[in-house]
Amino acid sequence: MRRRLSASVHHEGMEKANGKPRPSRLCFLATLSAMFWIMIFYFHFTVLSSNSINNPEQSVSYSIPSKSQRISEAYEALELPKMKVQSQLKPSDQQAPEVFPFTRALQTIDNKSDPCGGRYIYVHDLPSWFNADMLRDCRKLSLWTNMCKFTGNAGLGPPLQNAEGVFSNTGWYATNQFAVDVIFNNRMKQYECLTKDSSIAAAIFVPFYAGFDIARYLWGYNISVRDSSSLELVDWLMKRPEWSVMGGRDHFLVAGRITWDFRRLTDSNSDWGNKLLFLPAAKNMSMLVVESSPWNANDFGIPYPTYFHPAKDAEVFIWQDRMRELKRRYLCSFAGAPRPGNPKSIRGQIIDQCQRSKVCKLLECDFGESKCHSPSSIMQMFQSSLFCLQPQGDSYTRRSAFDSMLAGCIPVFFHPGSAYIQYTWHLPRNYSTYSVFIPEDDIRKKNVSIEERLKQIPPDVVEIMRETVISLIPKLIYADPRYKLETLKDAFDVAVQAVIDKVTQLRRDIVEGHEDKDFIEENSWKYALLEDGQRMVGPHQWDPFFSKPKDGNGDSGTSSAEAAKNSWQNEQRSQV
């Protein structure tokens, strides 16, 4: 201690001799303390932070919340891709460790400044041999009909002359009932929210003429030829990056034929159609057809094309007003031919009842010349009738139902498969507001007189029903694809929005971890009738109509194939 004190005194004396003031002990300690904290901060922010950036996996570990884990499991169950976030995350950000590839598409919905937010459509640019080659060989699209004249005018066919004053002076065409492929594709070119950025698309459209493709190969070709284009299409789509985002669940296409043409049950050459809708990849897509299957979930019914294709709203309003003012001298009418080869058909009984009635107008359709094949004759009859009888055709549905509603005629259906479970996007779920339902068995067993049943409806109720039918006209017609309606939504607009809503809901369910484990595909027709927010189905009054024996594919087996064959025989009949 003495030695250290002596040195201190000597040091102090030297500083005084040099004329420098001696710093205080407090100042010296403060300097040491500052240097210590500088070293601490340097070590923390330079050394530790560097190690954390270079080795993120060695940084603090955060556990995935249970909800996120459920989302991941639901995503994997749907066999959809997912992307891991590889950047550093703060603890607050760690609640969402996975980002779904379709997030941008959902985010556009919240962009209120974007009029197309949540409505963008991306259209695949297919190789020319899918569609262009088909149209060049349009004579081969049907065995009995020269489809070349029907693919003109953007798919509308030749203009109709209005010599008898039945139509309007503009907007009327001799449109083929199977021309929706071309009409829909050309309408899509006018869609106001097309995008070349698939990441923001609400849905992805596949512009493949599926109906025309199968039409050219249905007779006289083996299954390899019939399936070739479908297999090539699916192979092409699955190689596209857009497909991998949702495994095709955001894709949709249109076919202007009934679903049974695309549901061949076996690989026997004697079986009908191709197997497009049974291909695993196609089961992920949505296919819009003029008649869908009650027992399958990957197809949806859209209206048959009528003869009316307005270019602007005013043409629709003028037509609606004209249909309201017409004097209708017939209680009911029927245009069609009997089906003597089908013991289940009630057409024979309907024709008999109509022939015996003084208030029923009948147009019999069969081989040879017939007014049934004249658009003017058909529309004139519908315009003069309060009710139009619409039994099943060769399959559940008929184009005639839409022609009659276009004329402001109240449809009378005899099977729920003819409209009520088919066109749920375009027609009210409460079928009694716009139509009359008389069960087939009541006609078959001769328990009901159609005339007496219709006369029981009060005139004021008939007036309300007819007004409902007339108000539905815009949603049931396809506007001229070369133009665009100003405010009205046509059948195309309704269908596209329904697809968008379907895909958007699927995306939200995936993000929120919802999975409907109780879904039964064979009950697809019941799900279509559920109100918004409902998910469960149970017994239904129409169960007896759809309780046919099913095979392993959830289809109606040979009955549907026979119906498709019969529809082609009827097409042949109409061309003779």
Side-chain angles (χ1 to χ4, degrees):
M1 294 292 294
R2 289 192 186 113
R3 185 177 178 179
R4 188 169 181 174
L5 177 61
S6 174
S8 174
V9 172
H10 177 71
H11 179 71
E12 183 178 324
M14 289 181 62
E15 287 187 338
K16 287 181 180 180
N18 293 330
K20 296 179 180 180
R22 183 178 63 87
S24 67
R25 184 179 299 274
L26 182 61
C27 181
F28 178 71
L29 291 176
T31 301
L32 286 178
S33 177
M35 292 180 64
F36 172 79
W37 284 109
I38 289 173
M39 290 296 295
I40 290 294
F41 279 110
Y42 175 82
F43 180 78
H44 178 77
F45 286 103
T46 302
V47 179
L48 290 182
S49 296
S50 176
N51 289 339
S52 175
I53 293 174
N54 294 328
N55 301 284
E57 295 182 0
Q58 296 179 8
S59 60
V60 180
S61 175
Y62 302 100
S63 61
I64 299 176
S66 58
K67 179 180 178 180
S68 178
Q69 185 175 0
R70 291 197 305 271
I71 296 174
S72 177
E73 291 172 352
Y75 212 74
E76 290 174 352
L78 290 171
E79 299 179 354
L80 302 179
K82 57 186 177 183
M83 297 187 299
K84 295 281 187 179
V85 176
Q86 299 296 335
S87 60
Q88 278 188 295
L89 296 174
K90 300 176 183 178
S92 59
D93 296 332
Q94 196 65 26
Q95 301 300 315
E98 295 174 357
V99 175
F100 299 111
F102 51 72
T103 301
R104 289 190 66 203
L106 287 176
Q107 290 173 342
T108 64
I109 300 174
D110 300 324
N111 185 0
K112 304 304 180 183
S113 63
D114 184 358
C116 288
R119 298 193 302 121
Y120 285 107
I121 296 290
Y122 176 88
V123 180
H124 275 298
D125 186 14
L126 297 180
S128 63
W129 49 266
F130 277 118
N131 287 339
D133 291 353
M134 272 192 272
L135 292 187
R136 276 195 294 269
D137 294 333
C138 53
R139 290 184 179 273
K140 300 179 180 179
L141 294 179
S142 174
L143 186 61
W144 303 289
T145 306
N146 181 1
M147 292 296 293
C148 294
K149 66 177 182 179
F150 294 114
T151 58
N153 289 318
L156 304 184
L160 286 172
Q161 301 302 316
N162 192 27
E164 299 178 32
V166 177
F167 313 124
S168 309
N169 291 327
T170 59
W172 290 80
Y173 298 82
T175 306
N176 186 274
Q177 65 175 330
F178 301 125
V180 169
D181 301 60
V182 179
I183 296 173
F184 205 98
N185 287 3
N186 283 313
R187 280 281 283 115
M188 185 62 77
K189 295 175 184 177
Q190 302 292 336
Y191 185 66
E192 68 274 16
C193 294
L194 295 178
T195 180
K196 293 186 177 180
D197 183 359
S198 63
S199 70
I200 66 171
I204 296 178
F205 180 56
V206 182
F208 175 55
Y209 297 155
F212 284 171
D213 171 57
I214 189 55
R216 55 184 174 167
Y217 297 136
L218 276 173
W219 294 97
Y221 291 89
N222 61 33
I223 61 170
S224 296
V225 176
R226 283 182 261 158
D227 292 340
S228 58
S229 296
S230 298
L231 293 171
E232 289 172 351
L233 174 71
V234 167
D235 180 66
W236 186 88
L237 288 173
M238 293 180 69
K239 292 177 181 177
R240 301 288 302 174
E242 297 85 6
W243 180 272
S244 63
V245 174
M246 292 187 71
R249 289 169 176 82
D250 53 355
H251 285 50
F252 73 104
L253 68 160
V254 174
R257 298 203 67 89
I258 61 177
T259 188
W260 317 115
D261 289 336
F262 310 98
R263 293 189 178 279
R264 192 185 68 247
L265 298 175
T266 73
D267 285 336
S268 171
N269 284 323
S270 61
D271 270 358
W272 182 258
N274 67 22
K275 60 178 181 181
L276 172 59
L277 284 174
F278 281 143
L279 296 176
K283 287 185 176 182
N284 289 349
M285 293 189 287
S286 297
M287 187 157 165
L288 314 188
V289 289
V290 292
E291 178 176 320
S292 61
S293 166
W295 308 287
N296 297 97
N298 58 333
D299 60 356
F300 302 87
I302 58 174
Y304 284 85
T306 64
Y307 302 112
F308 185 38
H309 306 282
K312 48 190 176 182
D313 289 9
E315 295 179 18
V316 182
F317 297 143
I318 292 172
W319 179 257
Q320 287 177 302
D321 288 340
R322 181 177 169 184
M323 293 304 100
R324 291 186 179 101
E325 296 170 359
L326 286 176
K327 302 298 181 181
R328 301 177 185 264
R329 53 193 176 124
Y330 297 110
L331 175 68
C332 59
S333 61
F334 174 65
R339 294 292 186 267
N342 181 3
K344 295 183 179 180
S345 175
I346 62 170
R347 286 187 170 212
Q349 290 95 320
I350 289 177
I351 291 174
D352 289 342
Q353 286 201 32
C354 193
Q355 287 175 332
R356 294 195 302 267
S357 172
K358 295 181 180 180
V359 292
C360 182
K361 175 66 174 176
L362 177 65
L363 278 182
E364 291 190 78
C365 311
D366 216 327
F367 287 102
E369 291 295 327
S370 171
K371 290 185 177 180
C372 279
H373 309 144
S374 164
S376 179
S377 297
I378 293 174
M379 291 302 296
Q380 191 173 47
M381 182 186 74
F382 289 158
Q383 290 175 29
S384 62
S385 306
L386 286 174
F387 298 93
C388 291
L389 310 181
Q390 300 295 346
Q392 292 189 71
D394 298 289
S395 58
Y396 288 126
T397 62
R398 305 178 72 202
R399 170 189 175 153
S400 174
F402 296 98
D403 289 335
S404 66
M405 285 188 278
L406 174 60
C409 188
I410 302 167
V412 180
F413 295 112
F414 302 85
H415 193 291
S418 295
Y420 305 148
I421 68 163
Q422 291 287 342
Y423 310 108
T424 55
W425 294 347
H426 297 79
L427 294 174
R429 283 186 171 86
N430 185 356
Y431 61 88
S432 63
T433 62
Y434 72 93
S435 71
V436 177
F437 179 60
I438 303 176
E440 284 182 335
D441 276 349
D442 289 348
I443 304 299
R444 199 173 287 121
K445 297 175 182 178
K446 300 181 180 180
N447 294 333
V448 169
S449 163
I450 297 174
E451 178 181 333
E452 293 303 319
R453 172 69 176 83
L454 298 179
K455 285 183 175 179
Q456 292 173 4
I457 304 175
D460 58 331
V461 175
V462 173
E463 185 70 24
I464 294 172
M465 293 174 69
R466 185 167 69 250
E467 178 58 34
T468 301
V469 169
I470 294 173
S471 69
L472 289 172
I473 288 176
K475 299 169 63 176
L476 305 180
I477 59 176
Y478 296 92
D480 191 322
R482 297 162 294 188
Y483 302 90
K484 189 179 186 309
L485 300 181
E486 296 89 353
T487 62
L488 296 175
K489 303 297 183 183
D490 72 341
F492 168 89
D493 294 315
V494 173
V496 169
Q497 188 58 53
V499 170
I500 289 174
D501 292 343
K502 172 180 174 290
V503 176
T504 300
Q505 186 59 55
L506 173 61
R507 287 172 171 158
R508 285 172 172 162
D509 286 346
I510 292 171
V511 171
E512 295 171 3
H514 295 157
E515 181 183 359
D516 190 357
K517 296 181 180 180
D518 298 322
F519 178 78
I520 303 174
E521 186 174 20
E522 192 172 335
N523 286 333
S524 292
W525 66 272
K526 294 186 181 182
Y527 289 99
L529 300 176
L530 292 177
E531 298 296 336
D532 293 339
Q534 288 185 304
R535 288 181 177 267
M536 301 296 294
V537 297
H540 197 282
Q541 60 176 325
W542 291 334
D543 283 337
F545 289 94
F546 303 106
S547 59
K548 300 176 182 178
K550 314 296 190 301
D551 57 24
N553 288 307
D555 197 272
S556 61
T558 57
S559 62
S560 60
E562 287 302 317
K565 285 184 181 180
N566 290 335
S567 71
W568 273 79
Q569 291 172 359
N570 189 42
E571 182 180 351
Q572 179 188 19
R573 179 188 298 114
S574 68
Q575 301 303 321
V576 175

